[in-house]
Amino acid sequence: MSPALIALLPFIGALLPGLLVRSGRSVAATASGTTTLIALLGLLLHIPAVMRGEEIVARFEWLPLIQLNANFRIDGLGLLFGILILGIGLLIITYARFYLSRQDSVGKFYTYLMLFQGAMMGIVLSDNILLLLVFWELTSLSSFLLIGYWRHLPAGRQGARMALTVTGMGGLAMIAGMLILGQIAGSYDISQILQSKDAIQASPLYLPALILILIGAFTKSAQFPFHFWLPHAMAAPTPVSAYLHSATMVKAGLFLLARLWPVLSGTPEWFWIVATTGLITMLLGAAIALFKDDLKALLAFSTVSHLGLITMLLGFGTEEAAIAAVFHIINHATFKAALFMTAGIIDHETGTRSIARLGGLRKLMPVTFLIGTVAALSMAGIPPLNGFLSKEMMLYEASHLDQARQLFMVVATVAALFSVGYSLRFIFHVFTGPERDDYPHHPHDPGFGMWAGPALLAVLVVLIGLFPNTMAGWLVDASATAVTQHAAHSHIYLWHGVNAALIMSIIAIAGGAALLGGHRPLLAAWDAAPRPEAKSIFDGLLLACVRAGRGLTDRLTNGSMPRALTGFTLAALFAGCYAWYTGAAGKVTRPMLPIEPVPFIGWLLVMTATGCMVFFHRVRLLALVLVAIVGLITSMFFAYFSAPDLALTQISVEVVTVILLLLALNFLPKRTLTETSSSRRGWHAFVATLSGVGFGALCYAIMRRDFAFDPISGYMLQNSYKLGGGDNVVNVILVDFRGYDTFGEITVLGIAALAIFALTQTLLQGNSARRLLNWKHDQARAGDRHPLMLVIATRVLLPISLVVGIFIFLRGHNQPGGGFIAGLVVAIALLMQYMASGYAWAQTRQTIPYHALIGAGVVAAGVTGIGAWFNDKPFLTSAFGYFKLPFLEEIELATAMGFDLGVFLCVVGAVMLALNSLSRIARRAGETVNEKPMDIDLSTEQQKGAL
Amino acid sequence: MELLVATAIGACTAAGIYLILRLRTFAVVLGMTMLTYAINAFLFVSGRLVVNKPPILHGHGEVHLADYTDPLPQALVLTAIVISFGMTAVVVMMSLGAFIEGGDDRINMPKDDRIMPPLKTIDDTKPEDETA
């Protein structure tokens, strides 16, 4: 299976639970599980090839100009992480099916989870750092959604925000670091970057790049001093914690360190920054974990500690340490995911995660006890479990360092000692001891579905511990080879003879047992000791930022719109003047066109209408009519200066806009009172005149000069027929050359209409709905609201105007017209029916909802564009041909027509939805609904006449 | 002719700006409509004023660029016109909504709305209603 497909599958899987949301937990879980399983199988099929040292590559050009390409690659490291992500993902999906309750919205949960899974797969399989960054940010976002999944819990929301802030900021730093790295290496492809170690390490930008990338990796992997977000993220549902915070997301930082290990490691800077950070984190996390009362908090800090351990190993920069790091990644994922799920089971069955309220669960929950104990002993590093093996390797590497050996040996042993302490505490304070009678629920083992996943992991813990080379050796070798770029061979044995590492291990186990014995007094001392609370510092910083932002806003604006707009206008004016006086304008080269009488009349009309409009703007209806005059002349202006398409568009938009404003004016006051003093009005008039003069002068200056550079439209004129198959160059630009812009534009138009719809929805509820119900119109209603003449005339006009619409649509490619104009014409034709016979009457005869029209339009345009892919052409490349239909002229059928149809539908839908919204408001305000098309009932009138 | 066009654009701009500086929403909407005309016309004239040379090809032989006006600004303005309709519609609905909800159509933020509660914590004060 192609690596790209493996990365894509979880995203496809993310769509399913959302669509199947009504089918219940099992269906959603099965859908997510199946896609995960397929992806996992696809990945596993590549194992033989990876073991042979091959790399499986899939490359797609995405944005080659900025070297952002969708390149995917499976090597040993990607394989290891892929197996972890998909394998543990599968277990988590099963587990979550039983963990979540009926009240939880399961579709959303699985969608987020699969989204996250896809993002993680994207990170580990990307062969392009820009692509990797995209997926990296996506993990931050999807983990935000997952941590805050229980939105009703304040802790969940705060934890999610904190995680997003910290990892998001780290991500920003990392983007900068990655860009520097790519610049030095001359390529953004990871396989290329890995070849340029010398260039990167010799560059003066090596250190800044290193630090920025490390900030990204450390925030993600919760390394000191960014470790504080991880425990707060524990407010997430336990399946999320087990997945994100044991096996996957927090390992993304480690993955990155491992991925870039060949080019970044080996320098003193790398060693000191990375190894020391890892060491501090390992010690700090382990020490705090020992004193946490919440089971998940204990596990969270222990995760911090173990991540520190792996970071330190990667920081050592030796091949053996890298092997140990990779091995510990596997081991930690197995035992920690099992432990999180165990904690979740305990929480689920007893109703509490507080260790102080637990104890004595051994007999009540024997299966959970067995799984938890095996996993916890592995975490403690007790032989013969897998945690012991990699911890031994870590201690061995620490005792064989060339520099600062004593420091690392001592601190690593102390950290291991704490680690034994909290692991034993997990066993002894939760499971052993006397049974209690005050558990919130009566505890018992959960169903098979819930313990199957952790049990499988616990079996792996034992098997890897007993047969490390058979079970995991090959994977460790493959991934360590990918990390170090040299053929790595691991030699993992349970018994190495008596060496420094073994002695350190024994000290740790003995010391850890002693710690557990003296836990009570130690805890009292810990609680009494003053220490900085990360959350309050974080909150304080954030609060300071919010305060500063608020202060700045308050200083900049006082809530007065004219004031803000005056400032804006003056700034624009200043910028324009500055540009004019500092820049160099070309010479006046174009002669003036002679003034013809008809355009001159148009000019007189515009000037008069504008002047009157300003003067009479308080009489709103009059002002609206005057604005409409300006709009009509604008349309004629376009027609006169060789722009027939624009003229048609402008005139139809004008009609629609005026109707819209009239309908709104129905509710608004009909007059504006004078509220500003004359001096203020004078000042505003001054500002307005200045900017008008400036803008007019700019237009004049442009019009009197020829193009400074050859316009690019020469290409479009020359290729309009050859490539786009149309004579109307403007239309070909819209649907073909710049089709992507148009696609965006109709989407925006659709969104605007939907926003109007949503706005109306809220207006029809609550306070404003009550106001509308008691609405008193300030003007008398017309007696004959649906006049006979209008009704009959519009009915006659409807088919004619629809035919005109179709005609304009069909000719658009070669003559003035096209989807935009046709859409507006058809919308006007429909509007006339609504105006003549009333909204409700017309609506019952119109069955397609306008939202659907907008959606269909965007889809039609998109599908037309995608169609080009099947002919190996870029998005929106059009094909065309000419056909002769009976009784009609020769017409052209181009794929662009499908696109134009999308434009058409979207425009009709958007215009109608906007006006529909207004009429809904009118009906709520007591507009009567007529049952007949017009007020006078013709049938009864005729009968009267007959009588 | 250029002078006429420039003065008309200038007049529309001045009127538009004067109106958006008023205190009531309807005047501001009208002002934005006027500004839309001016700006669309400005974009259009960046293709220069050309009479009787619409960018519609006559014949499929060699294309003489001098026979046609610049089509690109036209294509840009065409979508701009439609989008500005969308914008006007949203603004109109917003002002209508504000009028129905708030009872007046003033555009400035009332003084009372500007007084924010003092910040003690960055956390949101009340949890969202999950049942909604």
Side-chain angles (χ1 to χ4, degrees):
Chain A
M1 194 184 284
S2 159
L5 187 59
I6 297 175
L8 188 67
L9 265 174
F11 289 110
I12 297 172
L15 295 174
L16 298 176
L19 295 174
L20 298 169
V21 68
R22 285 164 204 273
S23 316
R25 291 179 289 178
S26 301
V27 175
T30 314
S32 321
T34 313
T35 36
T36 311
L37 188 65
I38 295 171
L40 182 62
L41 290 178
L43 185 67
L44 294 180
L45 287 177
H46 289 304
I47 290 180
V50 174
M51 299 311 292
R52 285 195 299 273
E54 293 170 19
E55 287 178 351
I56 297 93
V57 181
R59 292 171 177 278
F60 303 94
E61 286 200 340
W62 182 7
L63 296 173
L65 274 178
I66 58 164
Q67 295 195 34
L68 169 51
N69 291 321
N71 295 344
F72 295 93
R73 180 172 67 119
I74 302 180
D75 63 349
L77 191 64
L79 178 70
L80 164 70
F81 273 87
I83 291 175
L84 286 182
I85 293 161
L86 295 172
I88 296 184
L90 202 54
L91 300 181
I92 296 290
I93 288 168
T94 321
Y95 177 82
R97 152 69 186 85
F98 299 96
Y99 182 88
L100 294 173
S101 73
R102 279 181 198 285
Q103 284 78 39
D104 294 318
S105 118
V106 174
K108 205 155 67 179
F109 180 84
Y110 279 110
T111 298
Y112 294 166
L113 198 73
M114 295 303 285
L115 202 61
F116 172 78
Q117 192 184 63
M120 280 304 297
M121 287 308 288
I123 290 184
V124 301
L125 297 184
S126 292
D127 191 33
N128 180 293
I129 45 177
L130 299 178
L131 184 69
L132 188 149
L133 286 171
V134 173
F135 287 118
W136 184 275
E137 296 299 327
L138 202 54
T139 58
S140 293
L141 289 177
S142 52
S143 74
F144 169 78
L145 294 172
L146 280 169
I147 297 169
Y149 171 70
W150 280 327
R151 287 187 296 173
H152 53 285
L153 299 181
R157 300 200 302 273
Q158 289 167 15
R161 267 207 308 261
M162 187 189 273
L164 183 67
T165 314
V166 176
T167 56
M169 302 249 276
L172 286 180
M174 204 179 79
I175 290 176
M178 289 295 208
L179 291 178
I180 299 178
L181 198 66
Q183 286 296 320
I184 303 175
S187 166
Y188 290 108
D189 279 358
I190 293 175
S191 35
Q192 295 289 316
I193 292 174
L194 293 187
Q195 308 297 322
S196 18
K197 172 176 180 171
D198 297 332
I200 289 170
Q201 298 201 349
S203 161
L205 289 173
Y206 165 72
L207 191 60
L210 176 70
I211 292 174
L212 289 169
I213 292 175
L214 286 181
I215 290 177
F218 286 173
T219 47
K220 201 76 157 187
S221 282
Q223 296 297 298
F224 177 82
F226 308 111
H227 61 284
F228 56 89
W229 69 264
L230 185 56
H232 289 285
M234 289 299 136
T238 304
V240 174
S241 313
Y243 194 34
L244 271 63
H245 307 128
S246 71
T248 52
M249 182 168 105
V250 289
K251 296 246 167 78
L254 300 179
F255 169 82
L256 197 73
L257 293 182
R259 181 50 97 204
L260 298 174
W261 194 90
V263 287
L264 294 180
S265 77
T267 60
E269 293 94 334
W270 170 272
F271 174 82
W272 285 112
I273 301 177
V274 181
T276 322
T277 308
L279 187 72
I280 297 173
T281 314
M282 178 166 73
L283 179 67
L284 202 70
I288 300 175
L290 186 62
F291 300 106
K292 282 290 165 186
D293 178 54
D294 180 358
L295 267 184
K296 277 175 79 180
L298 184 151
L299 292 176
F301 277 105
S302 112
T303 303
V304 168
S305 168
H306 282 270
L307 294 170
L309 187 160
I310 300 166
T311 307
M312 181 182 79
L313 282 172
L314 289 169
F316 285 168
T318 61
E319 288 189 18
E320 294 75 24
I323 292 174
V326 170
F327 190 36
H328 197 67
I329 288 175
I330 301 176
N331 296 339
H332 178 251
T334 52
F335 67 68
K336 192 51 68 66
L339 281 172
F340 265 116
M341 289 196 251
T342 310
I345 291 174
I346 294 170
D347 185 17
H348 201 258
E349 303 302 333
T350 66
T352 181
R353 296 196 312 241
S354 163
I355 298 177
R357 301 189 60 186
L358 292 167
L361 294 179
R362 182 166 59 94
K363 292 250 173 56
L364 295 167
M365 307 174 74
V367 179
T368 316
F369 165 64
L370 187 66
I371 298 168
T373 308
V374 169
L377 287 179
S378 175
M379 175 160 78
I382 307 289
L385 303 170
N386 63 357
F388 168 73
L389 297 170
S390 43
K391 183 175 279 184
E392 271 305 75
M393 288 162 85
M394 179 274 286
L395 292 172
Y396 179 84
E397 296 305 324
S399 62
H400 284 76
L401 278 179
D402 298 331
Q403 40 202 344
R405 190 189 312 151
Q406 280 85 4
L407 172 76
F408 277 89
M409 273 175 76
V410 171
V411 179
T413 314
V414 175
L417 187 149
F418 278 115
S419 168
V420 174
Y422 64 69
S423 304
L424 294 180
R425 186 161 167 250
F426 185 91
I427 302 169
F428 287 98
H429 285 187
V430 174
F431 291 108
T432 62
E435 276 180 29
R436 306 168 63 136
D437 48 14
D438 60 343
Y439 303 118
H441 302 312
H442 180 68
H444 56 83
D445 268 325
F448 172 73
M450 218 161 161
W451 61 256
L456 182 66
L457 290 171
V459 171
L460 278 179
V461 163
V462 178
L463 286 180
I464 296 176
L466 292 175
F467 315 106
N469 294 307
T470 338
M471 291 298 298
W474 53 276
L475 192 54
V476 172
D477 287 352
S479 48
T481 305
V483 173
T484 59
Q485 302 277 304
H486 297 290
H489 297 287
S490 58
H491 306 283
I492 312 167
Y493 300 109
L494 272 169
W495 179 250
H496 284 275
V498 179
N499 56 9
L502 187 69
I503 296 167
M504 286 153 79
S505 250
I506 292 170
I507 296 174
I509 293 172
L515 272 186
L516 185 71
H519 187 261
R520 199 177 291 267
L522 279 174
L523 181 64
W526 173 267
D527 284 342
R531 51 181 189 280
E533 185 60 48
K535 184 174 184 330
S536 50
I537 299 173
F538 176 82
D539 284 352
L541 273 177
L542 223 54
L543 190 60
C545 290
V546 175
R547 280 212 181 106
R550 225 186 225 195
L552 187 67
T553 313
D554 272 356
R555 208 153 297 163
L556 282 178
T557 167
N558 62 355
S560 158
M561 178 101 155
R563 191 185 129 176
L565 285 177
T566 314
F568 176 75
T569 311
L570 288 176
L573 199 60
F574 174 78
C577 292
Y578 179 79
W580 178 260
Y581 287 110
T582 54
K587 288 208 170 56
V588 172
T589 47
R590 288 176 79 93
M592 289 239 248
L593 294 174
I595 295 177
E596 308 276 340
V598 177
F600 183 74
I601 295 172
W603 177 80
L604 275 182
L605 274 170
V606 169
M607 298 305 269
T608 320
T610 310
C612 292
M613 207 267 303
V614 172
F615 194 74
F616 293 115
H617 79 267
R618 293 197 181 79
V619 188
R620 292 180 173 184
L621 187 62
L622 179 59
L624 184 56
V625 172
L626 291 166
V627 166
I629 292 177
V630 179
L632 290 178
I633 306 288
T634 310
S635 155
M636 288 178 203
F637 157 77
F638 288 139
Y640 186 79
F641 291 108
S642 320
D645 285 278
L646 289 191
L648 285 171
T649 317
Q650 177 70 48
I651 199 164
S652 36
V653 161
E654 199 54 45
V655 173
V656 179
T657 311
V658 169
I659 293 177
L660 184 82
L661 283 168
L662 276 175
L663 287 174
L665 196 55
N666 187 18
F667 287 93
L668 294 170
K670 308 294 175 286
R671 279 172 181 274
T672 313
L673 301 173
T674 313
E675 287 173 310
T676 36
S677 61
S678 53
S679 63
R680 182 150 283 267
R681 270 178 284 155
W683 162 240
H684 286 166
F686 177 68
V687 171
T689 314
L690 266 190
S691 30
V693 169
F695 201 54
L698 178 63
C699 291
Y700 182 73
I702 289 175
M703 282 186 280
R704 289 304 306 279
R705 286 162 177 82
D706 278 304
F707 296 109
F709 305 98
D710 275 341
I712 55 172
S713 42
Y715 170 85
M716 291 158 184
L717 281 167
Q718 256 150 6
N719 292 298
S720 168
Y721 182 71
K722 268 187 257 168
L723 298 178
D727 288 338
N728 181 357
V729 187
V730 174
N731 184 270
V732 173
I733 292 176
L734 285 176
V735 298
D736 196 323
F737 292 135
R738 306 295 304 161
Y740 208 70
D741 291 355
T742 313
F743 185 54
E745 237 131 3
I746 58 169
T747 315
V748 170
L749 189 66
I751 293 171
L754 292 179
I756 291 173
F757 177 75
L759 203 66
T760 315
Q761 266 327 77
T762 57
L763 281 181
L764 295 180
Q765 287 158 4
N767 202 15
S768 44
R770 278 191 292 281
R771 269 172 192 275
L772 277 174
L773 279 176
N774 300 314
W775 199 264
K776 290 226 167 32
H777 284 285
D778 51 359
Q779 278 186 335
R781 308 279 87 186
D784 189 10
R785 284 172 52 233
H786 305 294
L788 176 66
M789 293 289 277
L790 186 61
V791 173
I792 301 295
T794 53
R795 284 200 182 181
V796 174
L797 272 175
L798 178 68
I800 299 173
S801 40
L802 287 181
V803 169
V804 170
I806 295 169
F807 172 66
I808 287 180
F809 177 77
L810 286 177
R811 80 203 280 257
H813 217 44
N814 293 318
Q815 294 292 318
F820 276 114
I821 301 161
L824 288 163
V825 168
V826 168
I828 292 171
L830 293 175
L831 272 179
M832 288 194 302
Q833 306 304 310
Y834 283 69
M835 282 164 59
S837 296
Y839 180 78
W841 184 86
Q843 187 59 41
T844 48
R845 283 149 186 84
Q846 197 285 119
T847 45
I848 309 164
Y850 298 120
H851 316 66
L853 278 185
I854 297 176
V858 175
V859 169
V863 166
T864 316
I866 289 170
W869 285 347
F870 294 103
N871 296 320
D872 284 334
K873 296 269 173 56
F875 190 61
L876 280 174
T877 310
S878 66
F880 55 91
Y882 288 85
F883 301 90
K884 179 91 177 85
L885 293 182
F887 310 117
L888 291 175
E889 269 187 72
E890 183 185 60
I891 65 162
E892 182 204 358
L893 286 178
T895 55
M897 201 162 262
F899 184 81
D900 224 10
L901 182 68
V903 173
F904 168 81
L905 290 174
C906 205
V907 170
V908 174
V911 173
M912 294 311 290
L913 190 60
L915 295 151
N916 164 0
S917 300
L918 270 165
S919 76
R920 286 173 69 204
I921 293 176
R923 282 170 72 193
R924 179 57 64 90
E927 202 81 40
T928 47
V929 176
N930 54 324
E931 312 213 318
K932 297 275 161 41
M934 54 202 107
D935 290 351
I936 307 164
D937 190 343
L938 280 184
S939 51
T940 52
E941 294 291 318
Q942 270 172 350
Q943 282 166 3
K944 270 186 216 161
L947 289 168
Chain B
M1 199 75 98
E2 275 81 357
L3 203 57
L4 294 189
V5 173
T7 44
I9 292 177
C12 286
T13 313
I17 289 193
Y18 181 76
L19 284 183
I20 63 168
L21 296 178
R22 298 304 91 211
L23 291 173
R24 299 293 178 137
T25 50
F26 196 77
V28 175
V29 172
L30 290 185
M32 287 175 65
T33 312
M34 290 301 280
L35 273 181
T36 307
Y37 297 143
I39 290 165
N40 285 343
F42 165 71
L43 285 178
F44 174 71
V45 302
S46 72
R48 309 302 187 267
L49 297 186
V50 179
V51 184
N52 275 336
K53 290 178 182 172
I56 291 164
L57 303 178
H58 23 80
H60 295 153
E62 201 180 332
V63 176
H64 300 284
L65 296 186
D67 291 349
Y68 306 101
T69 182
D70 192 342
L72 193 60
Q74 296 195 12
L76 295 180
V77 171
L78 200 151
T79 46
I81 294 174
V82 180
I83 286 287
S84 51
F85 162 73
M87 183 199 68
T88 310
V90 172
V91 173
V92 167
M93 286 306 292
M94 275 165 63
S95 59
L96 185 60
F99 180 66
I100 294 173
E101 181 85 33
D104 73 49
D105 62 345
R106 283 172 217 278
I107 200 144
N108 284 347
M109 198 188 247
K111 279 232 161 41
D112 297 346
D113 287 6
R114 295 197 65 246
I115 301 165
M116 289 203 254
L119 276 173
K120 291 217 177 64
T121 112
I122 58 134
D123 189 36
D124 34 10
T125 41
K126 59 176 182 212
E128 322 151 40
D129 191 7
E130 191 68 5
T131 54

